[in-house]
Amino acid sequence: MVVIAVTGKGGTGKTIVSALLIYLISKNRRVLAVDADPDSNLPDALGITDEIKTLGEIREIFQESKDEMGTINKEQWLEGKIYGEVIYEHDDFDLLVMGRPEGEGCYCYANNLLRGVLRKLMRNYDVVIIDCEAGLEHLSRKTIENADYIVVVTDMSKKGLATAKRIKDLSQELKLNIKEICLVGNKIANEEAARLIREFAEKEGLKLLEILPYDEKIAEIDLKGEPVVALPENSEYVKKVKKIAEILVGGEG
Amino acid sequence: MERKKIEIPEGVKKKESVGEEEDFPFDISPMYEGERIRKGDMFVELGGPKQPGFEIVIALPAEQVEDMKVTLIGSDLDEMEEGKAYPYAMIYYVAGSQIDPDLEPVIERRNHDFQNYIEGYMHLNQRYDIWVRIGKSAMKKGLKSLIQIAKATMLLFKNEMPFIEKIEAVYITDEALVEKLLKEYAMPIYDERDARIESLHDEDVEEFYSCTLCQSFAPTNVCVISPDRPSLCGAITWFDGRAAARVDPEGPNKAIPKGELIDPIGGEYTGVNEFAREESGGEHERIKLHSFFEYPHTSCGCFEVIGFYMPEVDGIGWVHRGYPNPAPNGLTFSTMAGQTGGGKQIVGFLGIGMSYFRSKKFIQADGGWYRVVWMPKELKQRVEKYIPEDIKDKIATEEDAKTIEELKEFLKRVNHPVVTGVVRPVDGKKITEGWVEEKKEAEEKPEAKEAKVEAAQPVTPALPTQPAQPGVMQIPQLPAGGIKLVIKNAKIVIDKIIVKKTDDDKGGK
C-alpha cells in the first residue's frame, strides 16, 4: 500500500492534481480516495454529484448517541457506519470524505477508534490518495497515521511557495515516516517561473516531480465546477500528471 | 429471561449437517480482517440496509446442544441471484461448564472477528444491524453453501474460546422467519442485556478498567471506569473498557483488579489506589470513586460536566460544556474546567461524564442527588429521568436563580435538604448540619459560615473554607478526644490548613 498526501495552499490546484491522480491510478489499481480538506471539493472534481455522508457526521452521531448505546460494541458500530454509509463506491475507486472538523468536547476516544478502523480499511487498497489541507490536520492528529509521499502543489505565487516550505517543516516536525516530500509546480505559465520553482525545490531539498503548464481548459473546468476527468487524455497536462503517477506508484500493472 | 431454542415451523425449506468439515475452499486468517468487498466484487449481500438480519448467541444446557450441527433454513447460496440482497439470521447455541447468559454478548461479539477471518466474506456491525457481503471470488474458489461458513465460524469459536464445549448453529435466510425471530426471540434478549448495564454495579465485578487516552493533555490523569462510573468524557463504559482490554491488554484501557474494598460508600479500593499511584507517577495516593469531597477522582479536561461546591448554600451545582453563562458561583464552565483539568484532585470541583448522573452511586458519599442544588435547565432536562422524584423540583435552574442570593432564596422556599441538613440515602446518615439561622444577623453574604471539625465524624468533614478558586484542602483524621473548631461570620480565605499532632509525624500532610 502506498499512501500519497497531496497538499498545498488553497487555489494552487491541488484538488485537480489529486483528482487526476485518482482517476489515472485507479484504472489499474485499487484506490481509496480521501477528501481531507473541508474547503475543497474533491467529489465535484471527480464528477460525483451524489450526496455523501462524511466521517465527521458519523463522529458527531457517535458523540451524541454514545450514552444510549448500551452494551453495543462502539468500534464495531463505527466500523459499520464507515464501511456501510461513509465509503462511497465509485466504479473505479472508493471515496472517503472526512468532512467537518471536531466540535466541542472530547474526541480522544472517538478518534482512537477511528484510527483503528481506518488502519484496517486502508489495507484493502494498493494506493491511498489524500487531498489534504495545508495544515495536514488528519496526519497531525494521527487519524490517518502515515503517508509515504507528501506531494506539495504550488503555483507561481510567493505565498504558494511559502506554504510549501511550511508544509515541509511541519511534516518533518510531525515525525511522519515519509519516504519523500515532493513538489509539483502548477499553472506555470513561463520559463522564468519554472526556473524559480526548480531553484526552490533544490534549495529546500524537495523532489520536483513535474512542472504543470497553465491550461485554458482547466481554468474553464475550474470556473464551471466540472469534473477534471473530462480533460482530454492526450493533453499535455494530463500526460504530465500521468508521469507523476508513474513516479509515485510505478508504471502499468 | 429463559433461554430456549427457536421453534422451526413445519414445512420450511431446511438443510442439516453435523460434524467438522474436512476442508474449506477459502483461507481462514486474521489477515482478512477489515477486508472490504466492494459492490462490484460482491456475489450477494446478506442483511444490511435492505434486508432484515440479526446475530445472537444463546447459552443452553449441554444436553440441548448438538455439537457442530448446522441447520440452514431458507435458500442457500446456490439458489441466490448474483447482486441481490437476502435476509440473514445467525443463531448460535453454546454450552460449557463456565458458560452462562452473562457470557453471551462476549461470545457473540467474536462472531464479527471470526467471520472476517474468512477470505471473501465481509461482516459488518452487530446484533440487528449485521451486514454481510460474500465476494464473487469466494464463489469462484468453490464456496457453495452457508453451511461451510457456519462450520468455519464454529471451528474458530471452539479454537479461540476453549471454554465453549459445544456449539450448534442455525442460519436463516427465510424472510418471514428472520423477521419474526428478530422481533420475538432476539430483541427481548438484547433489551435484557442493555437493562443489565443499569443493574450491574461495582460490587458485581472483579475488575475495573483504566483509560489513559487523555494523558497527552493531563499526564497525571487516571480515569477509572467502573460499572457505576463511566469515563469523564462519557464515551467509555465499563463494557467498552472490558472489550478494549481484551483486545489489547497493554493498550490505553487496562484492567485494574479492584483489590480490597476500603470504603464502600466513597468507593475506595486498594487496587484502584495502587493503580492510581503507579499511573500518576506517585501524584495521587488515593481515589474514591463516588466522593465529591474526599480524594475525588481526577479531572482530565475532557469531562462533559463539572460540579462545583457552593459553601454559601452547602450544596453542589453542575454545569455542562454547552452552557455559556456563569453559574451562580460567578464562574463559567470553561473557567472552572481550566482550573480543574490537567489530572489534579481538586476538592470542591469534580469533572464527570454525563452518564454518571445515571449511576446509582452518583456522589453517594456526599448525599447524591440530595446535595445537588443547581444545574442549567438544558442539563436538568437531559438527565431528568435519573433524578429522584422528591428532589426534582427542588433543584434550581438558571430560570430560578442566577446568583448565590437568588439560589438561597429558592432553596429556602422549596425547603431543599441542604437547608435543614442532608441525609445521605446510602446509609441514612445525616451528613450536613443545614444552614445556621444566626446568619440572619449578617445581611452581607458571609465568606465562610459556621463549620465544625469533629473527631467523631472524620469521614465527612464540613468544609470550612470557600474554594472560590480551586485549592487543596485536606483534613486528616484527628486523634480521639479531638478538637472543636468553630468559625462564625468570619471573612477568611484559607489556602491550606495543616493540623499536626506533635508527637506523631504521620498525622498531617
Side-chain angles (χ1 to χ4, degrees), chain B residues 324-342:
Chain B
N325 302 319
N329 64 355
L331 304 173
T332 59
F333 176 89
S334 51
T335 312
M336 289 189 261
Q339 292 171 350
T340 311

Side-chain angles (χ1 to χ4, degrees), chain B residues 361-377:
Chain B
K361 292 189 169 55
F362 168 66
I363 57 164
Q364 67 174 10
D366 301 298
W369 281 104
Y370 297 90
R371 197 70 177 275
V372 176
V373 293
W374 189 90
M375 48 207 321
K377 191 174 173 212

Side-chain angles (χ1 to χ4, degrees), chain B residues 454-482:
Chain B
E454 282 180 3
Q457 290 182 319
V459 182
T460 55
L463 287 188
T465 62
Q466 175 195 4
Q469 300 292 314
V472 180
M473 226 219 57
Q474 288 174 348
I475 297 173
Q477 191 160 341
L478 295 165

Side-chain angles (χ1 to χ4, degrees), chain A residues 66-68 70-74 76 79-80 83-84 87 89-90 93-94 105-106 109 123-125, chain B residues 33-36 38-39 109 112 124-127 131 133 194 197 234-236 240 302 304 321 358:
Chain A
K66 61 186 167 20
D67 286 356
E68 306 303 328
T71 53
I72 280 180
N73 182 304
K74 288 172 181 152
Q76 275 179 36
E79 183 195 63
Y83 275 58
I87 290 180
E89 293 185 331
H90 188 269
F93 55 85
D94 287 349
C106 174
Y109 187 60
R123 288 206 306 244
N124 282 281
Y125 302 90
Chain B
E33 248 194 308
E35 177 188 14
R36 178 170 170 80
R38 306 184 69 234
K39 213 182 335 178
R109 199 163 279 183
H112 172 78
L124 293 178
N125 288 329
Q126 55 206 316
R127 289 187 176 180
W131 183 351
R133 277 179 177 179
D194 285 347
I197 276 203
I236 314 172
D240 299 322
C302 293
E304 296 180 294
R321 196 176 284 275
R358 301 173 171 208

